[in-house]
Amino acid sequence: MFTKLNLTSNLMHSRVFEIKRYQTPYKKECISNSVSSIYSVSGWVRARWLHWRSSCVRDCKRSPTPEDARSATTPRRQTARTMFNMKLKERLALAVSAFLILFTLMLIVDLQMDYGISGHRVPLHGRVKIVDDVDKGNSAYIEFRKRFLQRSNGSNSSREFEQSAPSETSGLDTEPRTPSPPADRFEHLQRILLLQIQGKSVDHAVIIPPHKDLNVIRPENPTIGEMEDLEPSLNASNLEKFQLKIAQHELYEDGEKLVEAILKDMSTTSILHVEQKEGGTQLKLIIDYPNGVQALFKPMRFARDVQTLPNHFYFSDYERHNAEIAAFHLDRILGFRRAMPVVGRVLNMTTEIYDVTEGDILKTFFVSPANNFCFHGKCSYYCDTGHAICGNPDMLEGSFAAFLPSSDLAERKVWRHPWRRSYHKRRKAQWELQSDYCDTVRTTPPYDSGRRLLDLMDMSIFDFLTGNMDRHHYETFKMFGNETFTLHLDQGRAFGKAFHDELSILAPLLQCCFVRHTTLAVLLKYHNGVSLSSILRESMKADPVSPILWEPHLTALDRRMVTILDAIRKCVEKAENPLENELNDIV
Ligand SMILES: Nc1ncnc2c1ncn2[C@@H]1O[C@H](COP(=O)(O)OP(=O)(O)OP(=O)(O)O)[C@@H](O)[C@H]1O
Ligand SMILES: [Mn+2]
């Protein structure tokens, strides 16, 4: 009994600890009230029980009487009498306490499920209504997936299990594979684009023409500098100038010269100071350069050809520094320009990290058995000796992302992504269960008008290309309101599986059947012209730590492109011939 009680109290402790980690401030207050009421209520119940027991010692502990023998139901009657004798107030209190205990338990279970192990404590802006939990079996996503898998020649779905273990992959299969010339040029989609440019087919349900797209019309497009009435000073750094030029509809203009200048600054300027970034799940460093310039550093953990471990969930995958670099280039090539510039650099861990940092992180440095200089920092994932970041012997490669403007200059708003995953190993997210999930999103602000839903479609395409399943939240600049672009931040978990195309990342597009004319035009341009992989490979050659991507990841881009175009074509066909398609689906 004693052990059991102890176990229960341990469990309670660990649950209270879990609550502390995952709750939102409102829920925190609510839960702590409930938890304290568990304690006070259970204290009250104990006092009540002790009182009852002491009165029982007086009245109940006696030799059995003939009366007792006559009635087998006496104890029950006594309990009933005791209950009856209880004051109404006491009975009410008992009922309330039982309810509170149940409610708290439900809340704890719900929170653990909701926040999984990622532990994000961001306010849930733009919440999406929860509707039915039933899979009606006809969702575009499920249906496309079914067809896709049926058609699959095995290169997409099965090879993920054939991935070599990380240590075995090095040096293998690195020859560039030229994809066979595309047989399918998606001419029907091209025709629609042409018609829209000619001012026809402008009410298309799937492809949103430029003149209806706020990202193209841009009635206003002020910069942060204009909004804040600030101009860069004479000795302003390139980054400061860049930050003031960030506009409502894009981070930087097409061909912006400051991008190259920032990349050069971050990869060559001397490092003044380093500190660990608070928050986030994996280790990141804030790098200080002269003139107030800052970068976010993610360290290299393993070689380019090491893939996500087959038994790792997306949320327990390591971050890849090269994924950040590649994603920046890809974002730019696709014409989004919503990712901050990122560059690679090799650091001397002694002079450029150890000597210029202070505090707790210093205590985590050590020399490994292989005589390499290592450290692990402090964070909630992989910050221990077993997962240390090691130099060779003290040279360490990493990615350097240009710092976003400080919150004093431009505060950001964090939004919960409507298609976020459950971050729980057994639980599914709402969008995976509800076939008409997009209808719910479409009618919920800010997705019911303007550019936001189209931005999420772009993000879904971008993430599907890179294989990034970790899009739990996204951010916008507050000062621009809702009609502004969504930042493409945190691509650390992209480019993890070269031989697997994760169709669920495309769920927003598949469920909404909605895409920008301009985005489709770019996709078709690369599909029918010089391939996306070639353009990306070329763009990344300029990086100091090139080659950035393992060739199979580049090949995957061209393959995934076909899947996206196929999905859009299917949406178009469905919109144009709804009846015929329904019949086909049944057959
Ligand atoms: N270039 C940047 N400049 C300044 N802040 C940034 C930059 N990139 C990301 N951040 C901020 O740092 C936070 C953590 O970054 P990031 O998401 O890359 O790390 P993470 O460890 O993967 O976090 P999480 O586990 O929450 O996904 C982001 O939420 C963002 O607000
Ligand atoms: Mn992340």
Side-chain angles (χ1 to χ4, degrees):
M1 177 68 177
F2 180 69
T3 341
K4 202 168 168 190
L5 272 177
N6 246 350
L7 273 176
T8 322
S9 87
N10 279 346
L11 196 67
M12 184 63 92
H13 248 98
S14 65
R15 284 192 173 168
V16 172
F17 173 71
E18 289 295 316
I19 296 166
K20 275 192 194 140
R21 289 186 55 201
Y22 301 132
Q23 60 207 256
T24 58
Y26 165 71
K27 281 188 174 170
K28 182 177 182 173
E29 196 178 279
C30 191
I31 290 163
S32 64
N33 283 345
S34 316
V35 170
S36 63
S37 45
I38 291 184
Y39 287 128
S40 59
V41 165
S42 59
W44 178 87
V45 171
R46 219 177 77 225
R48 208 43 241 153
W49 182 75
L50 285 175
H51 172 77
W52 181 81
R53 202 183 59 166
S54 61
S55 55
C56 218
V57 167
R58 256 185 283 114
D59 307 335
C60 319
K61 203 171 181 189
R62 52 184 171 79
S63 325
T65 60
E67 178 81 6
D68 291 342
R70 268 199 302 278
S71 168
T73 56
T74 306
R76 245 171 60 203
R77 276 211 205 123
Q78 273 171 358
T79 318
R81 207 176 308 133
T82 317
M83 286 294 287
F84 186 75
N85 287 342
M86 270 184 176
K87 286 185 193 144
L88 184 64
K89 222 164 91 189
E90 290 171 338
R91 268 187 278 162
L92 252 174
L94 198 63
V96 167
S97 51
F99 170 77
L100 275 176
I101 291 169
L102 273 174
F103 177 73
T104 311
L105 283 176
M106 276 167 57
L107 212 57
I108 290 167
V109 170
D110 185 53
L111 269 179
Q112 282 180 340
M113 295 286 203
D114 193 13
Y115 289 90
I117 62 167
S118 70
H120 295 288
R121 279 148 290 180
V122 194
L124 310 180
H125 305 283
R127 225 184 262 226
V128 172
K129 276 186 280 170
I130 307 281
V131 198
D132 69 314
D133 237 22
V134 188
D135 177 5
K136 291 175 191 152
N138 60 350
S139 96
Y141 159 59
I142 296 168
E143 183 197 315
F144 185 80
R145 191 187 170 89
K146 246 190 279 169
R147 287 182 171 217
F148 180 80
L149 291 177
Q150 274 164 9
R151 248 188 316 111
S152 162
N153 56 11
S155 65
N156 293 300
S157 47
S158 53
R159 284 195 57 182
E160 68 181 297
F161 301 109
E162 294 167 21
Q163 285 179 165
S164 319
S167 55
E168 294 162 0
T169 53
S170 308
L172 292 179
D173 207 13
T174 48
E175 276 296 299
R177 269 193 242 144
T178 329
S180 48
D184 189 346
R185 296 180 64 85
F186 294 91
E187 271 149 14
H188 185 45
L189 296 180
Q190 288 187 61
R191 258 197 310 280
I192 298 172
L193 293 188
L194 194 66
L195 284 173
Q196 290 194 333
I197 289 168
Q198 293 166 349
K200 299 173 208 155
S201 194
V202 288
D203 287 324
H204 205 280
V206 177
I207 302 164
I208 307 307
H211 79 272
K212 286 192 179 172
D213 182 357
L214 273 174
N215 184 36
V216 179
I217 317 168
R218 300 185 181 181
E220 286 177 307
N221 194 23
T223 63
I224 291 181
E226 287 162 4
M227 296 282 285
E228 297 295 301
D229 208 9
L230 286 170
E231 283 199 5
S233 56
L234 277 179
N235 61 348
S237 64
N238 288 321
L239 180 59
E240 210 175 318
K241 289 181 198 159
F242 178 94
Q243 289 177 343
L244 289 176
K245 281 185 83 178
I246 293 174
Q248 180 175 350
H249 291 286
E250 60 190 2
L251 267 178
Y252 55 93
E253 284 175 355
D254 191 10
E256 172 62 71
K257 296 270 184 305
L258 282 169
V259 173
E260 302 307 325
I262 291 172
L263 294 178
K264 185 153 180 263
D265 288 349
M266 291 191 298
S267 57
T268 56
T269 320
S270 59
I271 291 171
L272 292 184
H273 186 257
V274 166
E275 71 177 67
Q276 202 184 321
K277 187 176 189 313
E278 297 287 314
T281 50
Q282 296 187 34
L283 181 122
K284 284 172 292 297
L285 303 175
I286 297 176
I287 310 284
D288 282 304
Y289 301 92
N291 214 357
V293 176
Q294 288 187 311
L296 191 67
F297 171 88
K298 291 193 179 182
M300 169 167 165
R301 283 193 176 268
F302 30 57
R304 308 279 195 268
D305 54 6
V306 175
Q307 298 183 76
T308 304
L309 293 173
N311 288 325
H312 261 196
F313 283 97
Y314 46 91
F315 50 77
S316 37
D317 194 15
Y318 288 108
E319 297 211 301
R320 289 177 172 73
H321 75 301
N322 61 322
E324 292 282 3
I325 304 172
F328 152 66
H329 285 264
L330 182 65
D331 168 86
R332 182 168 61 167
I333 287 167
L334 292 173
F336 297 141
R337 297 187 293 281
R338 297 171 203 157
M340 284 300 267
V342 188
V343 73
R345 174 173 179 170
V346 180
L347 289 183
N348 180 319
M349 286 172 70
T350 314
T351 57
E352 292 176 307
I353 303 183
Y354 190 83
D355 289 350
V356 291
T357 191
E358 66 274 326
D360 285 352
I361 190 173
L362 281 176
K363 294 181 204 149
T364 73
F365 279 80
F366 63 95
V367 176
S368 76
N371 266 338
N372 291 322
F373 198 27
C374 307
F375 75 110
H376 57 70
K378 295 203 163 160
C379 60
S380 47
Y381 257 50
Y382 307 131
C383 278
D384 54 59
T385 318
H387 300 96
I389 293 144
C390 294
N392 183 18
D394 69 346
M395 298 306 283
L396 175 67
E397 188 181 303
S399 65
F400 293 71
F403 233 62
L404 288 157
S406 71
S407 53
D408 296 340
L409 178 59
E411 211 182 323
R412 298 192 302 279
K413 184 162 176 166
V414 183
W415 304 78
R416 182 172 146 136
H417 197 301
W419 277 269
R420 82 195 271 272
R421 289 166 198 279
S422 74
Y423 287 81
H424 188 280
K425 54 184 174 289
R426 284 184 300 272
R427 187 162 157 154
K428 282 191 186 300
Q430 195 67 27
W431 59 267
E432 293 174 273
L433 299 165
Q434 192 188 327
S435 59
D436 55 353
Y437 184 75
C438 185
D439 295 344
T440 317
V441 180
R442 269 178 199 273
T443 50
T444 311
Y447 308 102
D448 58 346
S449 66
R451 62 174 290 166
R452 186 61 58 85
L453 192 58
L454 284 167
D455 276 13
L456 291 196
M457 299 302 122
D458 287 345
M459 205 185 274
S460 150
I461 289 170
F462 178 57
D463 288 342
F464 177 69
L465 286 170
T466 67
N468 181 12
M469 297 173 79
D470 190 31
R471 197 61 80 185
H472 40 83
H473 292 86
Y474 66 89
E475 300 183 19
T476 58
F477 288 107
K478 247 185 190 163
M479 65 170 72
F480 298 134
N482 283 350
E483 281 322 323
T484 184
F485 68 95
T486 53
L487 278 157
H488 289 169
L489 276 190
D490 188 12
Q491 276 77 238
R493 287 195 174 115
F495 296 107
K497 292 184 176 184
F499 304 109
H500 170 72
D501 305 336
E502 183 52 51
L503 208 56
S504 64
I505 306 174
L506 216 48
L509 177 72
L510 294 170
Q511 293 186 335
C512 296
C513 277
F514 195 51
V515 70
R516 286 199 156 101
H517 170 113
T518 47
T519 303
L520 177 58
V522 170
L523 297 179
L524 281 169
K525 181 180 85 180
Y526 291 126
H527 175 71
N528 290 328
V530 183
S531 67
L532 183 61
S533 61
S534 316
I535 304 280
L536 182 61
R537 190 186 295 110
E538 203 50 39
S539 173
M540 295 189 304
K541 268 188 188 155
D543 193 278
V545 300
S546 159
I548 303 301
L549 283 182
W550 189 37
E551 273 300 321
H553 286 300
L554 285 162
T555 311
L557 288 175
D558 300 333
R559 188 179 66 229
R560 290 169 191 163
M561 178 76 93
V562 178
T563 306
I564 299 167
L565 290 172
D566 213 14
I568 298 173
R569 178 165 56 193
K570 179 149 194 317
C571 286
V572 168
E573 281 168 5
K574 212 166 183 173
E576 287 172 357
N577 305 303
L579 272 178
E580 193 181 302
N581 272 281
E582 254 168 49
L583 273 175
N584 283 345
D585 290 346
I586 296 166
V587 178

